[in-house]
Amino acid sequence: MLGKRLVGLIGLTCVVACSSTTHDPGATAQGGTGSSGDAGAAEGGTSAGTSSAGGKASGGSESSTGGDLAFSGDPTTAKGFCDGYYAIVAELFGKCWGLSAQQAQMLFAESRLCDDFLAGVDQHRIGFDGSHGAACLSELHAALMCDGVAEDATAPNCEAVIQPLVQEGQACSPLQENALGRQCAGDTFCQTATTYACTGVCAATSPVGTACDPLTTDVRCAADATCDSVTKKCVTEPPRAKLNEACGSASLGTCQSGLWCDIPDGAVAGTCVAKKTSGPCKDMTECVRSKTCAGPMDARSCVDPKPIGASCTPGNLECNILSRCGQDQKCVDAEGRDGDPCGKQPDGEPAYCARGLYCDGPVLGTGVCHPAKASGASCSGASIGECAGELGHCDSTTKTCAACE
């Protein structure tokens, strides 16, 4: 269902928005926080609030540090709808990760977030019906919250807004294979020959029992199925485990909303328990989305993340996901300029590079910010984001940067 795909896209948006930097709230990036937080998978549930077309997405029932985020444009047009969608996403990030309104808006300010979607509409690869645009945005805004289940959110008006039009066997673009930019119709996907291919062909997904490999891009399992990394076959995806049920292994699956899988040291499976609003923690997966796991290494607890300017203790990871504790013991913007240090600092605090730069150094180590390299430039492939451009990467054979134009 398109409504579900739109909600599920929330988990991908920061990866897209942050791809020109070395940080990603969805993972411990190069020199990240050192915790295994799940910030990259914002989930949907139910929350009060509505989104007014061409106006602003108003806050939900949860405490929101991001505040109301205004967006301009007409949601009956493809551009206005896309802008409104990312305004809602920005508000969600503000709520759930302690960002200021300015930080959240800047995170999703890049026009290229909508470029592939708009190109798909212009090329008649994506159908767009703006008559339901405002209602769709309103439903999405009301459905999304920090700790919910994306698959349970409902947005029926979104079903009529976007329709992928490219049929099986026809050419497609994998550059933005997500809810807004998805081009392949029905239960098909944009199949590519290599990870960094700039074009692909719409292909059918594979049913349960079909051979697959999670490390390749040529096979994708059908809806409600997943590729088992052990048997390398498509298997029925297990239902999300409930409170006090077993979790963690491939056959058990993940926990429902508001829960985390407590796996004892040395074990391969655990039990679903409620996420914490306070109390001791080892990493961010144990805390509800709007909290962070902060404090001394051996005595961390789930607390509210601190905004830029707040007093902090270096190494305690108290600041929000886009800032760090500076030498003056205040939360500061974590993005460095050309020549600035990046990666995990000696005190444990993260230091990221600004847009257009990458952290030249070992993954999870310390490095220096440098401008991302253009196509054709020599590269090592050892650093995340070393090469600029769409699907920018270091070619393993030529050791030169390549990207899609």
Side-chain angles (χ1 to χ4, degrees), residues 363-381:
V363 176
L364 300 183
T366 301
V368 178
C369 293
H370 290 309
K373 301 174 182 178
S375 293
S378 61
C379 56
S380 67

Side-chain angles (χ1 to χ4, degrees), residues 168-174 177 184 188-195 197-206 216-220:
E168 184 176 348
Q170 296 181 340
C172 56
S173 171
E177 171 93 337
C184 295
T188 65
F189 70 104
C190 194
Q191 186 181 66
T192 58
T194 65
T195 302
C198 300
T199 59
V201 175
C202 290
T205 55
S206 301
T216 66
T217 59
D218 60 344
V219 172
R220 185 173 301 178

Side-chain angles (χ1 to χ4, degrees), residues 15 24 57 94 104 187 300 319 342 398 402 405:
V15 176
D24 170 10
D187 193 20
R300 290 182 177 165
C319 306
C342 56
T398 65
E405 296 182 357

Side-chain angles (χ1 to χ4, degrees), residues 27-360:
T28 302
Q30 185 163 349
T33 62
S35 64
S36 57
D38 56 350
E43 301 161 327
T46 55
S47 175
T50 59
S51 171
S52 55
K56 61 184 179 181
S58 57
S61 58
E62 296 179 332
S63 60
S64 171
T65 56
D68 290 351
L69 296 179
F71 65 89
S72 59
D74 179 1
T76 65
T77 67
K79 179 64 165 64
F81 176 82
C82 190
D83 288 345
Y85 174 77
Y86 280 109
I88 294 173
V89 174
E91 183 190 17
L92 185 72
F93 271 73
K95 284 182 183 180
C96 303
W97 291 289
L99 305 184
S100 67
Q102 183 180 15
Q103 282 183 300
Q105 287 172 323
M106 289 182 62
L107 193 60
F108 298 97
E110 290 191 4
S111 61
R112 68 189 182 90
L113 287 173
C114 292
D115 286 348
D116 291 324
F117 168 61
L118 298 177
V121 173
D122 290 340
Q123 296 163 4
H124 304 291
R125 293 174 173 271
I126 302 172
F128 175 76
D129 179 0
S131 64
H132 294 269
C136 170
L137 293 180
S138 180
E139 289 171 347
L140 284 175
H141 184 267
L144 299 179
M145 62 184 294
C146 297
D147 289 284
V149 182
E151 289 77 9
D152 291 344
T154 58
N157 274 289
C158 294
E159 295 291 332
V161 177
I162 300 175
Q163 290 296 329
L165 300 178
V166 181
Q167 301 300 309
E168 184 176 348
Q170 296 181 340
C172 56
S173 171
L175 295 181
Q176 195 177 4
E177 171 93 337
N178 55 45
L180 293 186
R182 184 173 179 266
Q183 298 179 355
C184 295
D187 193 20
T188 65
F189 70 104
C190 194
Q191 186 181 66
T192 58
T194 65
T195 302
Y196 297 107
C198 300
T199 59
V201 175
C202 290
T205 55
S206 301
V208 170
T210 304
C212 63
D213 188 337
L215 298 181
T216 66
T217 59
D218 60 344
V219 172
R220 185 173 301 178
C221 298
D224 301 323
T226 186
C227 188
D228 189 301
S229 60
V230 177
T231 65
K232 294 189 176 180
K233 289 186 177 181
C234 292
V235 298
T236 301
E237 194 167 12
R240 291 167 69 96
K242 300 177 182 178
L243 182 66
N244 297 325
E245 290 185 345
C247 59
S249 68
S251 61
L252 296 174
T254 57
C255 300
Q256 289 185 344
S257 65
L259 308 176
W260 68 283
C261 191
D262 185 7
I263 303 177
D265 292 340
V268 296
T271 305
C272 290
V273 298
K275 287 193 174 186
K276 305 171 184 177
T277 57
S278 61
C281 58
K282 293 182 179 180
D283 60 57
M284 289 174 62
T285 60
E286 301 180 32
C287 307
V288 297
R289 188 83 61 188
S290 56
K291 303 291 182 178
T292 189
C293 186
M297 181 66 72
D298 57 349
R300 290 182 177 165
S301 58
C302 296
V303 296
D304 290 328
K306 294 182 177 180
I308 288 178
S311 298
C312 57
T313 300
N316 281 5
L317 307 179
E318 299 167 305
C319 306
N320 71 38
I321 59 172
L322 295 186
S323 60
R324 62 183 177 88
C325 192
Q327 295 180 350
D328 61 353
Q329 297 190 351
K330 292 185 181 296
C331 291
V332 297
D333 191 327
E335 294 190 341
R337 299 182 179 182
D338 186 13
D340 287 347
C342 56
K344 191 172 184 178
Q345 300 303 293
D347 60 8
E349 293 287 336
Y352 309 117
C353 299
R355 297 180 189 275
L357 307 179
Y358 78 101
C359 190
D360 186 4

